[in-house]
Amino acid sequence: MQYKYGVFLFVGLLTLVFSCLPGRLLAVDPTLLLGYNNGVNDNPHNLSRLATHSGPKAVDDGPDSYADTRICVYCHTPHGGTPQTPLWNRKDPVRMGSFPLFDNGPDSARIAIDDAAITATTKYEPNGTNGVEYPNGATKLCLSCHDGATAIGEMANGVTITMTQSTITDKTKIFDPLDATTNDLATTHPVSFVYNADVAAYISAQPGKSVYSLPTDPDVRLDGQSRMQCTTCHNPHVDTNNGTTYTLPFWANYDSAGADEQADYDATCGQCHTDKGGAPFNGHNL
Amino acid sequence: MKKLVLILLAGFVGGGLLLLSPADAMRNVGRTVLDGAHGDRQLLPRTCRACHRGMAMAIRGEEEVCYACHGSQDERDKMRRAGLLGDGARLDNIAREFRKPYRHPVEKSRGVHHPQERLPEEQVNAARHVECVDCHHPHQVDRDQPFRGMVGKRVGNFQGAIENEYELCYRCHAESANLPIGSTNKHAEFKQTNRSYHPVEAEGRNLYVISLLPPYNERKENPGDVTRMTCSDCHGSDDASGPQGPHGSNYAGLLRLNYDTSDERPESRYAYELCYRCHDRTSILSNESFPYHALHIRGNPAGTSCHTCHDAHGSSKYQYLIRFNEEVVSPTADGKLEFKATGIGTRHGSCLLNCHGVEHNPMSY
């Protein structure tokens, strides 16, 4: 009886624990995930020799080696990683310090959240101000390949893998502050800034601005410090872009499971960029 | 045992709740910033991406972004092929309007507009600029409501919504500290405390404007009477079938119709076409309001423009929009330059001035 009781308790507990797995990794078409899934290796973030895409990947280093078929190692390591979670295996981008801040106007005017009215801890800061680096968090990790300058195959734990290309060369996929022909971080959506109720209220109060809200959908997430990062919209594990009917890359808010790109897109923007139909306009056509 | 079942149940129910996509419960349909014409999915099937294309999300208000749909047919076809523009839209070529000689010079400034700028401008040395987004709110603009969503006049620290078109124009053409030399404060010209003004801010003060053509009227007497006007009644495209609004025009002053303001010229319907749109040419030339109207306008051999004696916006000093153009009209030998009206709206008065060599000291009517 006691034993039975324990089993029930244990099963109940297990149910609870497993139900808490992140929703974004459950119920996703496995062929969109990083390799070793039914032999599909076309996820651009699969950098192993097995990858079938045309981007950078490991060079085949002989039949006896498994080093060139590893997938996770490019970002994660169980030992010897950086202090940053999750078990992070990337060095800082070599361009740290020169990434431009989002700039929404002339003479390097910052966006409203840069205004002095927002306290130093909750605004968007240039590199190192108040001890906060820029970019920070997950964005910094993404840029350790997507700056087009940091070697992809040189990991933080000392492992080095020879790659077919040492850096990303597709200019549409990189943000190199020293190369004007790549994406300009100053004009893309701002990242690495604290976005909390204070900031949202502040931007909403700017002339001509609509109402800004905090995201509630768990697929559109701020990081642990309430910062907006690349990962707010993108999930680096799930390759959602099929090149035809669904072109949003690594889209985190994948509720339509590939059926309705526009709905997923709108639902993402609409998490923060909202209008409650208040003065001076009354919403219609929504 | 009951307890066990409860614990199990709690576990499964809790798990089940979390396995449901919470997004379904949270999804707030219609929580979007896009409203008005640009919020119409028939027109912009890909919503935000129509303008915020690719990774370049920041738009600084430069006109090229707008020209993708509001420019040439070629540009529009590109947008249609990319699935960014719906088929149902009937769009004018606004870019062409902005190539006309008299226009809001959107192409002249780059990177000057700032989304947080506060107008009217308070800095004397601030650069003058205009971009599409200074008159149109791209997220809110709607058919027949071109400036929907724009905020207008500042009242202390508060900026209210724009209700009348002139409030939008006044953002740059009234109390701006950086008005160019020779530009006037339009609010000062139209304000209701003036002796006379065209009825933009309010109905006019003169109840006897004899030359008015129907449906225009000094006061509302019959349904359909028009007693007020807007800036764009006079300022706008010279192409009657083209896009409305003061984007550009071939006529000086960004006017919809021709208005000659020079001296020494023959009268014709075309010369003062703008005025004759509302003011009956026959009435004016038959001297219904002023016995010497025809003499002044037609002259002998050449007359002078309406502009020589009238200011189309308003006059802070005199009735009947009288404000002399001092490039043509000069003071009398003893230094007087004055119009004296007899009473209010009596159509009698006298002038003290010197014009085309004729001393009026005074000349009465």
Side-chain angles (χ1 to χ4, degrees), chain B residues 44-72:
Chain B
L44 298 183
R46 296 186 152 206
T47 61
C48 317
R49 282 180 288 174
C51 307
H52 299 273
R53 294 191 279 277
M55 267 295 185
M57 301 293 277
I59 297 182
R60 276 77 183 260
E62 298 300 337
E63 63 279 4
E64 292 84 356
V65 179
C66 309
Y67 289 172
C69 294
H70 297 279
S72 69

Side-chain angles (χ1 to χ4, degrees), chain A residues 42 89-90 112 119 124 130 132 137 142 152 158 170 182 184 193 205 209 220 252 258 266:
Chain A
D42 65 346
N89 200 14
R90 301 246 19 115
T119 58
Y124 198 46
N130 305 309
V132 178
C142 303
I152 300 171
D170 179 348
T182 64
D184 180 2
F193 62 94
K209 285 285 181 191
V220 181
D266 286 342

Side-chain angles (χ1 to χ4, degrees), chain B residues 12-271:
Chain B
F12 281 114
V13 168
L17 272 179
L18 283 159
L19 279 170
L20 270 180
S21 168
D24 294 338
M26 304 257 195
R27 173 72 28 87
N28 219 329
V29 177
R31 281 182 90 208
T32 171
V33 66
L34 264 181
D35 189 12
H38 289 168
D40 184 342
R41 302 284 166 99
Q42 304 294 309
L43 296 180
L44 298 183
R46 296 186 152 206
T47 61
C48 317
R49 282 180 288 174
C51 307
H52 299 273
R53 294 191 279 277
M55 267 295 185
M57 301 293 277
I59 297 182
R60 276 77 183 260
E62 298 300 337
E63 63 279 4
E64 292 84 356
V65 179
C66 309
Y67 289 172
C69 294
H70 297 279
S72 69
Q73 192 61 47
D74 288 355
E75 292 276 303
R76 263 198 292 285
D77 289 340
K78 268 187 232 159
M79 291 291 282
R80 285 209 170 93
R81 281 196 297 272
L84 296 169
L85 176 65
D87 293 333
R90 195 195 68 80
L91 294 162
D92 281 313
N93 186 342
I94 308 275
R96 188 170 46 208
E97 295 291 305
F98 283 118
R99 287 195 294 269
K100 290 178 175 175
Y102 303 95
R103 64 192 182 277
H104 270 110
V106 293
E107 81 293 345
K108 277 198 175 159
S109 54
R110 290 209 73 79
V112 181
H113 172 85
H114 189 269
Q116 267 72 52
E117 68 194 13
R118 288 188 172 264
L119 298 171
E121 183 59 55
E122 289 174 337
Q123 303 294 329
V124 175
N125 58 352
R128 297 280 291 178
H129 75 274
V130 64
E131 299 292 356
C132 310
V133 294
D134 284 306
C135 298
H136 305 294
H137 192 310
H139 295 157
Q140 300 290 333
V141 66
D142 209 349
R143 293 176 199 80
D144 310 322
Q145 293 185 78
F147 40 83
R148 179 168 177 260
M150 295 299 293
V151 287
K153 206 168 159 42
R154 239 184 298 168
V155 187
N157 273 339
F158 175 75
Q159 286 202 308
I162 283 178
E163 290 164 17
N164 299 289
E165 184 193 66
Y166 67 84
E167 292 166 342
L168 181 74
C169 307
Y170 286 179
R171 281 160 44 99
C172 301
H173 296 289
E175 275 92 14
S176 298
N178 62 342
L179 281 179
I181 305 292
S183 288
T184 52
N185 173 342
K186 299 298 175 278
H187 174 53
E189 296 173 357
F190 283 109
K191 64 174 187 259
Q192 300 171 47
T193 50
N194 283 346
R195 294 304 308 280
S196 56
Y197 51 82
H198 254 136
V200 169
E201 291 189 30
E203 289 181 340
R205 293 182 71 163
N206 184 357
L207 298 179
Y208 309 99
V209 186
I210 287 189
S211 61
L212 276 186
L213 291 162
Y216 306 108
N217 204 341
E218 298 87 344
R219 293 286 180 272
K220 269 223 182 289
E221 288 166 358
N222 312 303
D225 277 358
V226 176
T227 61
R228 296 272 302 273
M229 58 188 293
T230 64
C231 306
S232 57
D233 283 345
C234 297
H235 298 280
S237 174
D238 56 310
D239 178 357
S241 61
Q244 300 298 295
H247 302 115
S249 169
N250 286 310
Y251 295 125
L254 219 174
L255 291 167
R256 289 173 62 179
L257 298 161
N258 185 50
Y259 178 36
D260 253 305
T261 56
S262 57
D263 189 32
E264 303 270 328
R265 52 171 353 286
E267 190 277 344
S268 68
R269 175 165 281 285
Y270 175 75

Side-chain angles (χ1 to χ4, degrees), chain A residues 149-169:
Chain A
T150 312
I152 300 171
E154 291 175 26
M155 271 62 83
N157 64 0
V159 171
T160 298
I161 296 176
T162 315
M163 307 294 291
T164 54
Q165 300 164 219
S166 64
T167 59
I168 306 178
T169 50

